[in-house]
């Protein structure tokens, strides 16, 4: 189907009823009885129209004859999305335009704005723990208190994920984005009032607000990608949105030690440096909140893909959040993906949290290099995310790619474990970077694979459940691996994670790859070429052109 470059062109083109469009035929319905509203799905035939009214078209003899093929069980989800056609004997409404699919230029502003405020939220998560000793001395608290400033992010997510996804599904993308950006901004400003040694509780309050903001942020990448981006760029867009959060962690490793050096012998200077970091974060958060108000819209004027067009045709009153949750947990492939995503991401969280302890066990006094290895882990993961997103858009091999990345993550974890105590930090840098490349590259793969096998359920709900599983496994793995490291050393803790990742490989291999969204998207576009109305070589109506999928259905 022809794709427009902007919303404005799409609006101008609405007056042309069949220009560059398609008239879809379901089953054995005659052409004259098919409404002008576009149908989609694997059973839809596609007519290339080159001007004139539907009455002026004549299908080849017998082209549409034959019994209608009944839908299979795996097609029930797609079938219930198809809008009801006109009744028998009802002529098509000549003044109804064929729904158009177009890409909006605003999608890049939406994606950039989200990625930036997600970056700031991730930065605020890590800004305390990377200079934990400085904040311990300034506030006069224990290391456990500082650890809670990071753990509150994970603890807040699990109980709040269900109300957050309900809000996303019932109130929409724009309100959820405003809440995420707004709470992130509010938390940053609350911290500005905590730059006194007796006000630790104020900085904890600000961090709690930021942790609540995270609940409205982590589930949005796949939703933004699906609602705003076309089929050939949706996975790359999701990876870019995830990239913003990863980049925030990387910046969190770099900036706080530079902005707040350890000057505990000069409390006033230390307070000034902390204040500089807090106010700078607040200023950036405020700017991004304003940009979110301006740039974020609920959805583009025209759907970017056939899958989104089908969802728009689905009556909103048919949606039930509880039914959606039940449907997801009855979906065995999704349940398996939920467990495997939790294992992989939880293992990454555990490695990132305990990396300092593992490095210092074998390399005394290398705190700075431990931080640099963590930075290498994150930066390599950012590259992995983008490459995996581009690969998915090019191949659409969701299960194969997910399984291969899972296996390579397992290999990377084994190599990292066996080389950690060799006494060469350079090797640890290399193996740590490889581990981060595959482990973090898995994040957008999990999101996009979940959307594919759960379509048409909400992307926000599936992504939210994946993140909740990641938080739960992350807490459990961190506690278990930390205990093993303290009692038996890093080798035992890493072997524990290797065993769990191997279990994840087996479960990933069992996932049935039912690409529902992709099937909808290719239902009317597969092997179809549309000719424009004003083509000089096609002044008379041409024969009906059917996609291979439609021919097999007929």
């Amino acid at each position: 189907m022809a794709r427009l470059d902007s919303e404005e062109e799409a609006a101008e083109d609405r007056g042309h009823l069949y220009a560059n469009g398609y008239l879809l035929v379901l089953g054995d319905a005659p052409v004259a009885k098919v409404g002008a509203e576009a149908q989609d799905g694997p059973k839809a035939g596609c007519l290339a129209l080159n001007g004139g009214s539907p009455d002026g078209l004549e299908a080849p003899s017998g082209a549409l004859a034959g019994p209608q093929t009944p839908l299979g069980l795996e097609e029930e989800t797609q079938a219930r999305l198809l809008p009801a056609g006109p009744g028998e004997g009802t002529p098509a409404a000549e003044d109804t335009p064929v729904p158009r699919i177009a890409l909006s230029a605003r999608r890049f502003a939406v994606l950039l704005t989200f990625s930036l405020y997600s970056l700031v939220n991730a930065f605020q998560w890590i800004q305390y723990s990377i200079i934990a000793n400085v904040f311990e001395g300034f506030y006069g608290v224990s290391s456990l208190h500082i650890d809670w400033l990071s753990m509150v992010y994970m603890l807040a997510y699990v109980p709040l994920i269900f109300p957050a996804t309900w809000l996303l599904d019932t109130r929409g993308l724009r309100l959820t984005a405003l809440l995420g950006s707004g709470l992130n901004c509010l938390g940053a400003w609350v911290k500005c009032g905590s730059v006194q040694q007796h006000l630790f509780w104020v900085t904890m309050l600000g961090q709690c607000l930021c942790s609540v903001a995270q609940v409205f942020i982590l589930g949005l990448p796949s939703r933004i990608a699906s609602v705003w981006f076309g089929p050939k760029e949706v996975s790359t867009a999701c990876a870019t949105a995830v990239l913003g959060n990863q980049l925030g962690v990387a910046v969190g490793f770099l900036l706080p030690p530079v902005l707040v050096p350890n000057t505990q012998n000069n409390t006033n200077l230390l307070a000034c440096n902390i204040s500089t970091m807090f106010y700078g974060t607040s200023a950036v958060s405020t700017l991004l909140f304003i940009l979110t108000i301006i740039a974020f819209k609920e959805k583009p004027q025209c759907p970017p893909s056939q899958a989104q067009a089908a969802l728009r045709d689905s009556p909103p009153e048919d949606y039930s959040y509880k039914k959606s949750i039940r449907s997801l947990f009855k979906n065995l492939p999704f349940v398996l993906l939920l467990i495997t995503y939790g294992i992989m991401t939880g293992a990454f969280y555990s490695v990132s949290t305990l990396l300092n302890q593992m490095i210092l066990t074998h390399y005394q006094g290398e705190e700075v290099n431990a931080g640099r290895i963590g930075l290498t882990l994150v930066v390599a993961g950012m590259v992995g995310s983008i490459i995996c997103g581009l690969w998915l858009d090019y191949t659409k091999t969701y299960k194969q790619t997910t399984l291969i990345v899972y296996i390579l993550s397992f290999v990377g974890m084994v190599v990292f474990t066996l080389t950690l105590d060799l006494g060469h930090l350079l090797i640890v840098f290399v193996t740590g970077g490889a581990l981060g490349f595959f482990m973090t590259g898995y994040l957008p793969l999990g999101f996009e694979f979940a959307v594919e096998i759960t379509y048409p359920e909400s992307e926000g709900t599936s992504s939210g459940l994946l993140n909740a599983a990641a938080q739960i496994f992350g807490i459990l793995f961190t506690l278990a691996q930390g205990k093993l490291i303290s009692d038996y050393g890093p080798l035992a803790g890493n072997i524990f994670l290797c065993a769990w990742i191997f279990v994840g490989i087996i479960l990933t291999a069992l996932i049935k790859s039912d690409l529902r969204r992709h099937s909808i998207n290719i239902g009317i576009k597969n092997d179809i070429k549309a000719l424009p109305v004003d083509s000089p070589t096609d002044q008379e109506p041409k024969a009906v052109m059917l996609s291979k999928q439609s021919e097999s259905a007929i």
Side-chain angles (χ1 to χ4, degrees), residues 138-139 141 190-205:
F138 181 76
Y139 286 115
V141 297
V190 169
K191 292 179 187 179
C192 294
S194 68
V195 192
Q196 295 185 35
Q197 292 181 290
H198 66 285
L199 294 179
F200 175 79
W201 67 272
V202 177
T203 208
M204 175 60 82
L205 175 61

Side-chain angles (χ1 to χ4, degrees), residues 144-276:
L144 182 61
H145 286 79
I146 303 301
D147 290 342
W148 271 106
L149 289 171
S150 296
M151 285 193 295
V152 70
Y153 263 64
M154 285 185 267
L155 293 177
Y157 194 90
V158 177
L160 294 178
I161 180 57
F162 290 106
T165 53
W166 174 85
L167 188 73
L168 175 61
D169 291 346
T170 58
R171 296 296 182 268
L173 182 62
R174 175 175 166 80
L175 178 60
T176 305
L178 289 174
L179 282 173
S181 182
L183 287 171
N184 191 57
C185 176
L186 179 60
W189 281 108
V190 169
K191 292 179 187 179
C192 294
S194 68
V195 192
Q196 295 185 35
Q197 292 181 290
H198 66 285
L199 294 179
F200 175 79
W201 67 272
V202 177
T203 208
M204 175 60 82
L205 175 61
Q207 192 72 341
C208 287
L209 290 172
C210 294
S211 68
V212 175
Q214 179 207 215
V215 182
F216 298 101
I217 293 174
L218 289 186
L220 291 190
S222 57
R223 181 64 170 264
I224 291 174
S226 295
V227 171
W228 284 92
F229 288 82
K232 294 184 178 180
E233 57 189 14
V234 63
S235 297
T236 305
C238 181
T240 304
V242 173
L243 179 70
N245 199 269
Q246 299 167 7
L247 184 59
V249 176
V251 174
F253 277 119
L254 287 175
L255 279 186
V258 175
L259 296 175
V260 188
N262 191 358
T263 58
Q264 296 190 30
N265 56 337
N266 189 337
T267 306
N268 290 333
L269 178 60
L270 182 58
C272 181
N273 291 334
I274 293 175
S275 181
T276 300

Side-chain angles (χ1 to χ4, degrees), residues 353-390:
T353 303
L354 302 173
L355 183 64
N356 183 269
Q357 297 180 32
M358 289 189 282
I359 298 299
L360 294 184
T361 299
H362 299 293
Y363 305 91
Q364 293 292 330
E366 294 288 351
E367 291 89 354
V368 174
N369 278 322
R372 290 172 179 171
I373 292 172
L375 179 62
T376 303
L377 205 78
V378 175
V379 173
M382 291 160 51
V383 177
S385 294
I386 292 298
I387 292 178
C388 287
L390 290 170

